[in-house]
Amino acid sequence: MTDLETRAAPSRAGALRRAAPALAGYAVVRALGLLALFLWSAARDKSAYTLLTARWDALWYVRVADLGYGYEVRLANGDVHSNLAFFPLLPWLERLVAAVSPLSYADGGFVVSLFASLAAAWGIFAVADHVYGRRAGVCAVLLWAVLPVGIVQSMAYSESLFTALAAWSLYAVLTGRWVTAGALALLAGLTRPVGLAVVAAVWVAAAASFAGEGRAVVRERRAAGPDATDAPAGPGTRTRRVLGMLLAPLGTAGYVLWVGHHTGKGPLGYLDVQAGWRNGFDGGYAFARFVAEKFTSFPAALAGVGLILGVASVVWLYVTGVRQRQPLPLLVYTGVVTALALCASSYFGSKPRLLLPAFPLLLPLALALAKARIRRSAAVLGFVAVASAVYGAFWLNGSGPP
């Protein structure tokens, strides 16, 4: 077992009490963001609730919940937008909420995101607290809340649901709860394509644990002499680890294979569905070309500089996490999420939203804030929270997150 696995996790009641300041702070930040959105929307004679529940991807999730799979829109340029591109867990939950309450599917999506965002905040705290301590955990949650695109956490989108499942799966890995980690990874894989990142984290962590056991056995045998007997981890622990590994990919693999069967295009059918949306993975070529084109005129060049600084900041945060020796599961998860977000050829305005689940990127900043004086940390976070609330209201009333 690794050192992380030997650390005892607190009881549920104790864990909730420990996370209470982080959750309270998160709720305040999100309430501020929603208040700014409702005020801004009212001034523009728009419905803030419609912006949260009935535009962009939220409409596609509602269509899945209402009509099932098979709905598509054919565009004039020949592109085919199929709702098969959207993974099923959020629509399933929207149906469940509508079945047990008078709420609509869109209302159900908002309710799911509301509770999922709190679960995500708790999961982020649990991971950061486990690795760096309680104060860093609080700072990590607040940093996630005040991200410029943080308003997405309150939308009827799947980001909050996915982040909650991913965070708690990673926490289960860190605390050696392999079956739980695998089951949550399975659910994350039913939520978004980036569920592959959670699967990779579980698999790499499990493989590292097996390798660590092997090295420990060799060291013990050498120290004890030729008459020593092997003392590997108990069979129950190893069985649970294998079971977690087997469970983890079933969500992603199951849905992708089902889409291939449903479309009659085989195991790679889901890639054809994504191609209809002009989504793909080209190693970042299209994004680099998009950034380069910004420098063809002066006003656009400023946006190009901003994009370069943004990407450089993401890379710097990841490298800093490596230098600070973040646990391997976090590094693997963050690396896959970041690579899929930055190297995809999808709509470039979505990239900040696609990075939203990569919360371990915030841990170096959270650690720095945790070491600063409380008043200074509170002032920084308070200022950023106001700026984020204003930007979120402006953004959602404008181009918004496609």
Side-chain angles (χ1 to χ4, degrees), residues 68-144:
Y69 284 109
Y71 176 87
E72 61 183 29
V73 175
R74 295 183 177 272
L75 305 184
N77 64 356
D79 290 346
V80 178
H81 289 183
S82 168
N83 66 357
L84 288 167
F86 297 87
F87 277 52
L89 185 57
L90 178 58
W92 287 348
L93 294 175
E94 289 177 343
R95 283 184 179 180
L96 177 61
V97 172
V100 300
S101 73
L103 299 177
S104 67
Y105 294 132
D107 296 336
F110 180 74
V111 170
V112 170
S113 290
L114 176 66
F115 285 99
S117 66
L118 288 171
W122 191 1
I124 292 170
F125 171 82
V127 170
D129 178 33
H130 184 84
V131 178
Y132 293 123
R134 186 183 191 186
R135 191 169 173 186
V138 173
C139 292
V141 170
L142 294 179
L143 284 170
W144 191 66

Side-chain angles (χ1 to χ4, degrees), residues 3 8 15 49 204 220-221 294 318 338 346 369 383 396-397:
D3 291 340
Y49 191 68
V204 170
E220 290 176 3
R221 291 184 63 182
K294 294 294 182 182
Y318 185 77
T338 303
S346 57
L369 283 175
F383 173 79
L396 215 56
N397 275 276

Side-chain angles (χ1 to χ4, degrees), residues 117-217:
S117 66
L118 288 171
W122 191 1
I124 292 170
F125 171 82
V127 170
D129 178 33
H130 184 84
V131 178
Y132 293 123
R134 186 183 191 186
R135 191 169 173 186
V138 173
C139 292
V141 170
L142 294 179
L143 284 170
W144 191 66
V146 303
L147 288 173
V149 294
I151 190 64
V152 174
Q153 298 163 17
S154 300
M155 297 181 66
Y157 273 39
S158 61
E159 274 75 10
S160 290
L161 178 60
F162 175 80
T163 304
L165 294 167
W168 282 109
S169 179
L170 291 170
Y171 179 71
V173 169
L174 295 177
T175 54
R177 301 174 180 181
W178 294 103
V179 176
T180 300
L184 291 172
L186 184 158
L187 293 174
L190 287 171
T191 307
R192 298 185 62 81
V194 76
L196 289 171
V198 190
V199 177
V202 172
W203 275 58
V204 170
S209 293
F210 280 120
E213 284 180 3
R215 289 192 297 269
V217 169

